[in-house]
Amino acid sequence: MSVSLSRSFPLNQHVTSIIDGESVVAKREGFDIEVVNPTDEQVISRLREADDTEVDAAVRSARLAFDQGPWPRMDINARKDILYSIRDHLRKNAEELAYLECLNTGLPLRSVQVHVDRMARNFEFFAEVASNVHGETYTQTAGYLTYITREPKGVAGCIAPWNAPLALASMRVATCIPWGNTCVLKPSEYTPLSMRRMVEIFHEAGLPPGVVNLVNGRGAVTGQALVSHPDIDMIGFTGGTTTGRAIAATAGRNLKPVALELGGKSANIIFESADIERALDGALAGIFSNNGQQCLAGSRILVQRGIADEFIERFVARAKNIRLGDPMLADTEIGPLAFRAHLERVLSFVEVARRDGAKLLTGGARANDQSHGWFMQPTAVLAPHNDAQVCQEEIFGPFATFLIFDTLDEAIQIANASKFGLVTYVWSDDLHTVMRCSRDIRAGTVWVNTPLMRELRAPFGGYKESGIGRDGPQASLEFFTELKSTIIPIDAVKMHRYGAA
Ligand code: TXE
């Protein structure tokens, strides 16, 4: 797709909050954050941070929309019509959304276009799920009818990260509002542009004011004000494990439920019984798609000894050939990392790897053919053992770590020797091998001979430090709704009459 939109940058207005369906006008005073294009390091906009008072106004709007507004009380067909209208409006504005996302995150436009299509589908899918919710009845106790209903839980605080804002924030919102909940969304301070447009589009599509409010700012200020607000009923968070831990601690003190989608260090296991060509394509996609900045990256590549030398050699040859560059161009495979501090963090693992005794196979530096931008060469190292830091820590960039194993049992043991447990990739045409991995690896998703396939009908989330809870029809129903038991006698029941003569 060629990008036909033309805009002048910096955008001459601040990115501000959207509260009660209205754009908040930036006050004369306030804390500004520069929004930067990672491809050329130019400032493209500024966001005005929402302080405690503004976060409070956003929560009050969501509260009012929940307690008194039409959204939770609406006939499901009317609510579904609005969610379908959101889907249609997202599609209608797909080009602009993809452009803003690509501009602000550095993700290749090709990937972003897939994300925009998925976000539209998220709303369609969960609208359908919510319209099929049903309850239970119990009649076993003579003379009584007990029925169980599901009700929306209330106001959610939704916190989104910077690595794929459209895909991840839309999942947070699309799993939350169809049941009748309302929310306040806080995107990452690094990547507010597509998020702001997304929330505008929700309103253009007919979403009532107050159902989705947007606040922008740093995690420690705006995010903290949101997650500690007493009128929030639940928190959905996608981001790093350290931040997730802090949010869960705050939520725990306030007795608010949390759903956390956190990091990963997923094993991508290549057995000698695999179709090697496909495994090679899958291993490259697993670590280098989305600029390597994805929780479900196959970042620990375990190769069985008999094929290891050849596999690694071919992987490295392909990695050296990857087209790095302007993410807006159709044939770019890897764009820049999202922000300077992140590039520096990812680069710091090259030295960590060296100290661990790992062998640098390719890359390992800032891409020097790019004069501007936070580009990193596709990198791969061979680690001496799984205890090495590069095998245990989430690096979150185009940085693959190889390990060599001998047996099926050893591969399973290495895959499980991690504090994370988000996904696992298994490449093998041997049924026993596949079944053992599926049964014995402790991860929320096991991909067999396919990378990165997201089935919306299936729960998605992580074991161990990769998260708490799942996104999916049943799991989201349970997280975002309350159960109510109503007990009614069919005939007048005999009661003890306290104080009666
Ligand atoms: O993200 P943070 P960071 C991993 C990845 C990355 C590491 C650190 O390994 O290198 O985490 O990333 C908001 N209260 N992932 O620190 O802090 C913040 O403003 C409330 C994996 O840049 O997790 C942003 O909106 N909110 C991952 C959001 O949390 C707070 C995606 C995510 O930022 C807050 C991103 C607070 N106290 C990073 N502190 C994935 N699962 O895909 C921060 N935030």
Side-chain angles (χ1 to χ4, degrees):
M1 172 174 105
S2 69
V3 179
S4 56
L5 291 163
S6 70
R7 281 174 175 254
S8 56
F9 295 102
L11 297 168
N12 57 5
Q13 86 198 90
H14 276 95
V15 179
T16 57
S17 304
I18 298 178
I19 299 178
D20 223 21
E22 299 287 336
S23 177
V24 171
V25 178
K27 289 185 222 108
R28 209 178 281 269
E29 303 285 298
F31 186 81
D32 276 357
I33 299 172
E34 289 181 343
V35 181
V36 181
N37 176 354
T39 304
D40 61 10
E41 303 177 36
Q42 296 299 306
V43 175
I44 43 176
S45 184
R46 284 187 173 72
L47 76 79
R48 173 59 55 82
E49 182 165 81
D51 59 11
D52 288 11
T53 315
E54 204 163 302
V55 171
D56 183 56
V59 174
R60 274 191 284 119
S61 164
R63 187 81 260 163
L64 199 68
F66 184 76
D67 291 342
Q68 295 172 33
W71 188 248
R73 292 156 195 89
M74 200 176 268
D75 181 89
I76 191 62
N77 285 326
R79 201 189 297 150
K80 214 164 121 180
D81 284 348
I82 294 174
L83 292 163
Y84 275 47
S85 166
I86 288 178
R87 173 200 63 191
D88 297 342
H89 277 72
L90 290 172
R91 285 196 177 135
K92 213 165 64 195
N93 293 280
E95 195 179 345
E96 184 183 12
L97 284 167
Y99 175 67
L100 290 172
E101 184 89 330
C102 177
L103 183 77
N104 197 181
T105 62
L107 289 179
L109 195 58
R110 272 179 321 114
S111 317
V112 173
Q113 283 159 348
V114 175
H115 296 180
V116 175
D117 184 58
R118 276 207 206 137
M119 74 191 284
R121 281 220 185 281
N122 290 343
F123 284 93
E124 173 188 83
F125 180 77
F126 283 97
E128 197 57 47
V129 172
S131 78
N132 283 301
V133 170
H134 53 86
E136 301 157 31
T137 56
Y138 296 99
T139 55
Q140 291 90 333
T141 302
Y144 282 93
L145 168 68
T146 298
Y147 62 86
I148 317 299
T149 44
R150 290 251 175 209
E151 296 182 352
K153 197 175 265 175
V155 176
C158 299
I159 314 254
W162 42 264
N163 56 318
L166 285 175
L168 299 173
S170 72
M171 184 52 104
R172 282 275 156 250
V173 177
T175 52
C176 167
I177 63 171
W179 323 99
N181 296 307
T182 63
C183 71
V184 177
L185 170 67
K186 193 209 85 68
S188 167
E189 58 276 32
Y190 292 107
T191 53
L193 295 188
S194 60
M195 297 283 89
R196 160 93 194 180
R197 184 69 193 113
M198 176 184 84
V199 176
E200 279 173 5
I201 291 170
F202 292 165
H203 291 96
E204 289 163 14
L207 190 70
V211 177
V212 177
N213 299 275
L214 175 78
V215 290
N216 279 299
R218 288 164 295 174
V221 178
T222 313
Q224 181 61 24
L226 180 59
V227 297
S228 56
H229 198 291
D231 279 342
I232 289 283
D233 296 302
M234 62 241 164
I235 296 161
F237 171 76
T238 305
T241 295
T242 309
T243 307
R245 209 186 290 281
I247 288 176
T250 305
R253 273 195 297 279
N254 296 342
L255 286 181
K256 309 292 182 191
V258 284
L260 305 174
E261 212 261 87
L262 307 175
K265 189 74 189 179
S266 298
N268 191 343
I269 314 176
I270 325 287
F271 290 96
E272 288 162 7
S273 50
D275 174 333
I276 301 300
E277 286 305 318
R278 291 184 54 74
L280 188 60
D281 289 344
L284 287 152
I287 185 60
F288 294 128
S289 58
N290 289 310
N291 299 346
Q293 298 169 157
Q294 49 187 347
C295 53
L296 37 70
S299 50
R300 265 189 312 156
I301 306 178
L302 281 48
V303 194
Q304 200 159 15
R305 194 170 304 276
I307 52 166
D309 287 348
E310 192 196 339
F311 188 89
I312 293 173
E313 194 180 309
R314 293 182 64 194
F315 181 99
V316 167
R318 292 268 297 272
K320 285 185 200 293
N321 236 358
I322 286 177
R323 293 181 296 278
L324 214 72
D326 181 348
M328 294 281 179
L329 300 177
D331 69 344
T332 294
E333 294 178 307
I334 294 191
L337 299 194
F339 50 96
R340 181 188 298 280
H342 185 56
L343 171 68
E344 284 164 4
R345 181 178 177 275
V346 176
L347 281 170
S348 74
F349 278 96
V350 177
E351 175 55 19
V352 169
R354 197 191 58 74
R355 271 191 271 118
D356 275 344
K359 180 178 169 206
L360 182 65
L361 300 167
T362 185
R366 202 170 167 168
N368 55 13
D369 52 344
Q370 305 288 335
S371 53
H372 298 290
W374 300 315
F375 290 89
M376 166 142 186
Q377 295 169 342
T379 297
V381 301
L382 177 62
H385 47 72
N386 189 50
D387 292 337
Q389 235 177 308
V390 283
C391 295
Q392 293 298 321
E393 285 192 31
E394 183 177 46
I395 299 175
F396 218 62
F399 193 120
T401 302
F402 278 95
L403 282 164
I404 296 174
F405 69 92
D406 288 296
T407 64
L408 171 59
D409 284 340
E410 189 190 356
I412 292 171
Q413 183 272 323
I414 295 173
N416 284 335
S418 169
K419 63 184 176 192
F420 297 110
L422 192 57
V423 304
T424 297
Y425 304 61
V426 177
W427 298 88
S428 170
D429 286 342
D430 177 64
L431 188 60
H432 171 69
T433 301
V434 168
M435 295 310 290
R436 278 286 315 280
C437 289
S438 164
R439 188 190 67 186
D440 294 340
I441 294 178
R442 293 177 54 70
T445 297
V446 178
W447 279 313
V448 178
N449 296 335
T450 182
L452 306 163
M453 156 60 186
R454 184 72 193 270
E455 169 57 82
L456 272 184
R457 290 154 200 84
F460 183 83
Y463 282 37
K464 300 190 266 182
E465 292 189 17
S466 288
I468 296 179
R470 298 286 184 273
D471 288 326
Q474 189 59 29
S476 300
L477 168 77
E478 279 168 16
F479 185 71
F480 284 113
T481 62
E482 291 280 13
L483 278 174
K484 179 180 279 176
S485 303
T486 302
I487 302 168
I488 310 179
I490 292 166
D491 300 310
V493 289
K494 205 164 169 313
M495 286 180 281
H496 175 76
R497 302 183 64 216
Y498 283 93

